[in-house]
Amino acid sequence: MRSQRIKQHRICLESFTKNSVKVRGVLLNVHNTLGPNLPERFYRDAAAFGLETEGVRCKTEKVFEVYYRGVRVGFYLVDIWIENGKILLEVKVAPEILPLYLAQAISYLKVTDADLVIVLSFGAGSLLDKRLPNFLRDKVVSLEWQERPVAEGMLYPALTNHLFEVLHRVHFELGPGFLHQVYRRATMVELEHQGFSYDYIKQVPIYYQGHYLGPQPARMVRSTLRSHRGASR
């Protein structure tokens, strides 16, 4: 049994290495052929076409749902999903691969459970890439929150600190890189979880010298005080 598992692991590793070599070859060819600084979709579609031509199964813009505390709060579109999650490609067009892009990639690993994410940039004279294996599986971390000092005279200091905790916890759990509505919905879930009442404001009225001009679209979450203990202190 143990020898069979070792053999299966070796076969998977060989397949993964072979696919990685093919993927890199296709990506280099795409960059050399198209050059830098075109819109991202051209590189994504060209890479997908090249991979399929090489016999590597892939899918562009595969949809993954994003959950927060078991509640669906949005979705994420993978640029290129390879061999059912062996590799995830995140395509950028920038002169360098910024730390933010790598942080976003880690967020996407959490959502997709892919084995490896490769962050690419087609915005320089040569192809830029960073590889991040999925080290998040079975890794348990927790947010250690400490209250922050607030300015003297600030209204509702306890409530303010509690709201800071809510926002930091949402960012800690999701990470960066998702659409803003994902964070908004996750924040509302966390507010409910922690016993806050809130209003979701979709528009605000605009006045000039008492004259109503019309509504302004908005996307705001306003915490209310009626059920949050200690908010008025």
Side-chain angles (χ1 to χ4, degrees), residues 116-164:
L116 172 73
V117 60
I118 303 177
V119 183
L120 309 161
S121 181
F122 291 89
S126 58
L127 178 70
L128 305 178
D129 66 290
K130 294 283 188 180
R131 302 160 61 93
L132 295 174
N134 192 341
F135 58 85
L136 300 171
R137 293 186 180 119
D138 302 322
K139 185 175 182 179
V140 179
V141 293
S142 59
L143 175 66
E144 299 295 334
W145 173 255
Q146 293 184 342
E147 287 194 0
R148 296 187 167 191
V150 295
E152 185 177 352
M154 175 180 286
L155 290 174
Y156 313 119
L159 173 62
T160 300
N161 250 303
H162 206 156
L163 289 174
F164 280 149

Coordinates of all heavy atoms in Angstrom, one line a residue, residues 116-164:
L116 N -0.9 25.6 -7.2 CA 0.1 26.6 -7.4 C -0.5 27.7 -8.2 O -1.3 27.5 -9.0 CB 1.2 25.9 -8.3 CG 2.3 26.9 -8.8 CD1 3.3 27.3 -7.7 CD2 3.1 26.2 -9.9
V117 N -0.1 28.9 -7.8 CA -0.5 30.1 -8.5 C 0.8 30.7 -9.1 O 1.8 30.8 -8.4 CB -1.3 31.1 -7.7 CG1 -0.5 31.6 -6.5 CG2 -1.7 32.3 -8.5
I118 N 0.7 31.1 -10.4 CA 1.8 31.8 -11.0 C 1.3 33.2 -11.4 O 0.3 33.4 -12.1 CB 2.3 31.1 -12.3 CG1 2.7 29.7 -12.0 CG2 3.5 31.9 -12.9 CD1 3.2 28.9 -13.2
V119 N 1.9 34.2 -10.8 CA 1.6 35.6 -11.1 C 2.5 36.1 -12.3 O 3.7 36.0 -12.2 CB 1.8 36.5 -9.9 CG1 1.4 38.0 -10.2 CG2 1.0 36.0 -8.7
L120 N 1.9 36.5 -13.3 CA 2.6 36.9 -14.5 C 2.4 38.4 -14.8 O 1.4 39.0 -14.5 CB 2.0 36.1 -15.7 CG 1.9 34.6 -15.6 CD1 0.9 34.1 -16.7 CD2 3.3 34.0 -15.8
S121 N 3.4 39.0 -15.4 CA 3.3 40.3 -15.9 C 3.9 40.4 -17.3 O 5.0 40.0 -17.5 CB 4.0 41.3 -15.0 OG 3.8 42.6 -15.5
F122 N 3.0 41.0 -18.2 CA 3.5 41.2 -19.6 C 3.7 42.7 -19.8 O 3.6 43.2 -20.9 CB 2.4 40.7 -20.5 CG 2.2 39.2 -20.5 CD1 1.3 38.6 -19.6 CD2 2.9 38.4 -21.4 CE1 1.2 37.2 -19.6 CE2 2.8 37.0 -21.4 CZ 1.9 36.4 -20.5
G123 N 4.1 43.4 -18.8 CA 4.3 44.8 -18.9 C 5.8 45.3 -18.9 O 6.1 46.5 -18.8
A124 N 6.7 44.3 -19.1 CA 8.1 44.7 -19.2 C 8.7 44.1 -20.5 O 8.1 43.4 -21.2 CB 8.8 44.1 -17.9
G125 N 10.0 44.3 -20.7 CA 10.7 43.9 -21.9 C 10.8 42.4 -21.9 O 11.0 41.8 -23.0
S126 N 10.7 41.7 -20.8 CA 10.7 40.2 -20.7 C 9.6 39.8 -19.8 O 9.1 40.6 -19.0 CB 12.1 39.7 -20.3 OG 12.4 40.2 -19.0
L127 N 9.2 38.5 -19.9 CA 8.2 38.0 -19.1 C 8.6 38.0 -17.6 O 9.7 37.5 -17.3 CB 7.8 36.6 -19.5 CG 6.7 35.9 -18.7 CD1 5.3 36.6 -18.9 CD2 6.6 34.4 -19.1
L128 N 7.7 38.5 -16.7 CA 8.0 38.4 -15.3 C 7.0 37.4 -14.7 O 5.8 37.4 -15.1 CB 7.7 39.8 -14.7 CG 8.5 41.0 -15.2 CD1 8.1 42.3 -14.5 CD2 10.0 40.7 -15.1
D129 N 7.5 36.6 -13.8 CA 6.6 35.6 -13.1 C 7.1 35.3 -11.7 O 8.3 35.3 -11.5 CB 6.5 34.3 -14.0 CG 7.8 33.6 -14.1 OD1 8.8 34.1 -14.7 OD2 8.0 32.5 -13.5
K130 N 6.1 35.0 -10.9 CA 6.4 34.6 -9.5 C 5.5 33.4 -9.2 O 4.3 33.4 -9.5 CB 6.1 35.7 -8.5 CG 7.0 36.9 -8.6 CD 8.4 36.6 -7.9 CE 9.2 37.9 -7.8 NZ 10.5 37.7 -7.2
R131 N 6.1 32.3 -8.6 CA 5.4 31.1 -8.3 C 5.1 31.0 -6.8 O 6.0 31.2 -6.0 CB 6.2 29.9 -8.8 CG 6.5 29.9 -10.3 CD 7.6 29.0 -10.6 NE 7.4 27.6 -10.3 CZ 6.9 26.7 -11.1 NH1 6.6 27.1 -12.4 NH2 6.7 25.5 -10.8
L132 N 3.9 30.7 -6.5 CA 3.5 30.6 -5.1 C 2.7 29.3 -4.9 O 1.6 29.1 -5.3 CB 2.6 31.8 -4.6 CG 3.2 33.2 -4.6 CD1 2.1 34.2 -4.3 CD2 4.3 33.3 -3.6
P133 N 3.4 28.3 -4.2 CA 2.7 27.0 -4.0 C 1.6 27.3 -2.9 O 1.7 28.2 -2.1 CB 3.8 26.1 -3.5 CG 4.8 27.0 -3.0 CD 4.8 28.3 -3.8
N134 N 0.7 26.4 -2.8 CA -0.4 26.5 -1.8 C 0.1 25.9 -0.5 O 0.0 24.7 -0.2 CB -1.7 25.7 -2.3 CG -2.9 26.1 -1.4 OD1 -2.7 26.6 -0.3 ND2 -4.0 25.8 -1.9
F135 N 0.5 26.8 0.4 CA 1.0 26.5 1.7 C -0.1 26.7 2.8 O 0.1 26.6 4.0 CB 2.2 27.3 2.1 CG 2.0 28.7 2.1 CD1 1.5 29.4 3.2 CD2 2.3 29.5 0.9 CE1 1.3 30.8 3.2 CE2 2.1 30.9 0.9 CZ 1.6 31.5 2.0
L136 N -1.3 27.0 2.3 CA -2.4 27.4 3.2 C -3.2 26.2 3.7 O -3.9 26.3 4.7 CB -3.3 28.4 2.5 CG -2.7 29.7 2.0 CD1 -3.6 30.5 1.2 CD2 -2.2 30.5 3.2
R137 N -3.1 25.1 3.0 CA -4.0 23.9 3.4 C -3.6 23.5 4.8 O -2.5 23.3 5.2 CB -3.7 22.8 2.4 CG -4.3 23.1 1.0 CD -4.1 21.8 0.1 NE -4.6 22.1 -1.2 CZ -3.9 22.0 -2.3 NH1 -2.6 21.7 -2.2 NH2 -4.4 22.2 -3.5
D138 N -4.7 23.3 5.6 CA -4.6 22.8 7.0 C -3.8 23.8 7.9 O -3.4 23.4 9.0 CB -3.9 21.4 7.0 CG -4.7 20.4 6.2 OD1 -5.9 20.4 6.2 OD2 -4.0 19.6 5.6
K139 N -3.6 25.0 7.4 CA -2.9 26.0 8.2 C -3.9 26.9 8.9 O -4.8 27.5 8.3 CB -2.0 26.9 7.4 CG -1.1 27.9 8.2 CD -0.2 28.6 7.3 CE 0.7 29.6 8.1 NZ 1.7 30.3 7.2
V140 N -3.9 26.8 10.3 CA -4.9 27.6 11.0 C -4.2 28.8 11.7 O -3.2 28.6 12.4 CB -5.5 26.7 12.1 CG1 -6.5 27.5 13.0 CG2 -6.2 25.4 11.5
V141 N -4.7 30.0 11.4 CA -4.2 31.2 12.0 C -5.4 32.0 12.5 O -6.5 31.8 12.0 CB -3.4 32.1 11.0 CG1 -2.1 31.4 10.7 CG2 -4.2 32.4 9.8
S142 N -5.2 32.8 13.5 CA -6.3 33.6 14.0 C -5.9 35.0 14.2 O -4.7 35.3 14.4 CB -6.8 33.0 15.4 OG -5.7 33.0 16.3
L143 N -6.8 35.9 14.2 CA -6.6 37.3 14.3 C -6.5 37.7 15.8 O -7.4 37.4 16.6 CB -7.7 38.2 13.7 CG -7.6 39.7 13.9 CD1 -6.3 40.2 13.2 CD2 -8.8 40.4 13.3
E144 N -5.3 38.2 16.2 CA -5.2 38.7 17.6 C -5.4 40.2 17.6 O -4.5 41.0 17.2 CB -3.8 38.4 18.1 CG -3.5 36.9 18.2 CD -4.4 36.1 19.2 OE1 -4.8 36.8 20.1 OE2 -4.6 34.9 19.0
W145 N -6.6 40.6 17.9 CA -7.0 42.1 17.8 C -6.6 42.8 19.1 O -6.9 42.3 20.2 CB -8.4 42.2 17.5 CG -8.9 43.7 17.6 CD1 -9.6 44.3 18.5 CD2 -8.6 44.7 16.6 NE1 -9.8 45.6 18.3 CE2 -9.2 45.9 17.1 CE3 -7.9 44.7 15.4 CZ2 -9.1 47.1 16.4 CZ3 -7.8 45.9 14.7 CH2 -8.4 47.0 15.2
Q146 N -6.0 44.0 19.0 CA -5.8 44.8 20.1 C -6.4 46.2 19.9 O -6.3 46.7 18.7 CB -4.3 45.0 20.4 CG -3.6 43.7 20.8 CD -2.1 44.0 21.2 OE1 -1.5 45.0 20.7 NE2 -1.5 43.1 21.9
E147 N -7.1 46.7 20.8 CA -7.8 48.0 20.6 C -6.8 49.1 20.3 O -5.6 49.1 20.8 CB -8.6 48.4 21.9 CG -9.8 47.6 22.1 CD -10.7 48.3 23.1 OE1 -10.3 49.3 23.7 OE2 -11.8 47.7 23.4
R148 N -7.2 50.0 19.5 CA -6.3 51.1 19.0 C -6.7 52.4 19.8 O -7.9 52.6 20.1 CB -6.5 51.3 17.5 CG -6.0 50.1 16.7 CD -6.0 50.4 15.2 NE -5.3 49.4 14.5 CZ -4.9 49.6 13.2 NH1 -5.2 50.7 12.6 NH2 -4.3 48.6 12.6
P149 N -5.7 53.2 20.0 CA -6.0 54.5 20.7 C -6.8 55.4 19.7 O -6.6 55.4 18.5 CB -4.6 55.1 21.0 CG -3.7 54.4 20.0 CD -4.3 53.0 19.8
V150 N -7.8 56.1 20.2 CA -8.6 57.0 19.4 C -8.3 58.4 19.9 O -7.9 58.7 21.0 CB -10.1 56.6 19.5 CG1 -10.4 55.3 18.9 CG2 -10.6 56.7 21.0
A151 N -8.6 59.3 18.9 CA -8.3 60.7 19.2 C -9.2 61.2 20.4 O -10.4 60.8 20.5 CB -8.6 61.6 18.0
E152 N -8.6 62.1 21.2 CA -9.4 62.6 22.4 C -10.6 63.4 21.9 O -10.5 64.2 21.0 CB -8.4 63.5 23.2 CG -9.1 64.0 24.5 CD -8.1 64.9 25.3 OE1 -6.9 64.9 24.9 OE2 -8.6 65.5 26.3
G153 N -11.7 63.1 22.5 CA -12.9 63.8 22.2 C -13.7 63.1 21.0 O -14.8 63.6 20.7
M154 N -13.2 62.0 20.5 CA -13.9 61.4 19.4 C -15.2 60.8 20.0 O -15.3 60.2 21.0 CB -13.1 60.3 18.8 CG -13.8 59.4 17.8 SD -12.8 58.1 17.0 CE -11.7 59.1 16.0
L155 N -16.3 60.9 19.2 CA -17.6 60.3 19.6 C -17.5 58.8 19.5 O -16.9 58.2 18.6 CB -18.7 60.8 18.7 CG -19.1 62.3 18.8 CD1 -20.1 62.6 17.7 CD2 -19.7 62.6 20.2
Y156 N -18.1 58.2 20.5 CA -18.3 56.7 20.6 C -16.9 55.9 20.4 O -16.8 55.2 19.4 CB -19.3 56.3 19.5 CG -20.5 57.1 19.5 CD1 -20.9 57.8 18.3 CD2 -21.4 57.1 20.6 CE1 -22.0 58.6 18.3 CE2 -22.5 57.9 20.6 CZ -22.9 58.6 19.4 OH -24.0 59.4 19.4
P157 N -16.0 56.1 21.2 CA -14.7 55.5 21.0 C -14.8 54.0 21.1 O -14.1 53.3 20.3 CB -13.8 56.0 22.2 CG -14.8 56.5 23.2 CD -16.0 57.0 22.4
A158 N -15.6 53.4 22.0 CA -15.8 51.9 22.0 C -16.4 51.4 20.7 O -15.9 50.4 20.2 CB -16.6 51.6 23.2
L159 N -17.4 52.1 20.2 CA -18.0 51.6 19.0 C -17.0 51.7 17.8 O -16.9 50.8 17.0 CB -19.2 52.5 18.6 CG -19.8 52.3 17.3 CD1 -20.3 50.8 17.1 CD2 -21.0 53.3 17.0
T160 N -16.2 52.8 17.8 CA -15.2 53.0 16.7 C -14.2 51.9 16.7 O -13.8 51.3 15.7 CB -14.5 54.3 16.9 OG1 -15.4 55.4 16.8 CG2 -13.4 54.5 15.8
N161 N -13.7 51.5 17.9 CA -12.7 50.4 18.0 C -13.3 49.1 17.6 O -12.7 48.3 17.0 CB -12.2 50.3 19.5 CG -10.7 50.8 19.5 OD1 -9.9 50.2 18.8 ND2 -10.4 51.8 20.4
H162 N -14.6 48.9 18.0 CA -15.2 47.6 17.6 C -15.4 47.5 16.1 O -15.2 46.5 15.5 CB -16.6 47.5 18.3 CG -17.0 46.1 18.5 ND1 -17.9 45.7 19.5 CD2 -16.7 45.0 17.8 CE1 -18.1 44.4 19.4 NE2 -17.4 43.9 18.4
L163 N -15.7 48.7 15.5 CA -15.9 48.7 14.0 C -14.5 48.5 13.3 O -14.4 47.8 12.3 CB -16.4 50.0 13.5 CG -17.9 50.2 13.9 CD1 -18.4 51.7 13.5 CD2 -18.8 49.2 13.1
F164 N -13.4 49.0 13.9 CA -12.1 48.7 13.4 C -11.8 47.2 13.4 O -11.3 46.6 12.5 CB -11.0 49.5 14.2 CG -10.9 50.9 13.8 CD1 -10.5 51.8 14.8 CD2 -11.1 51.3 12.5 CE1 -10.3 53.2 14.4 CE2 -10.9 52.7 12.2 CZ -10.5 53.6 13.1

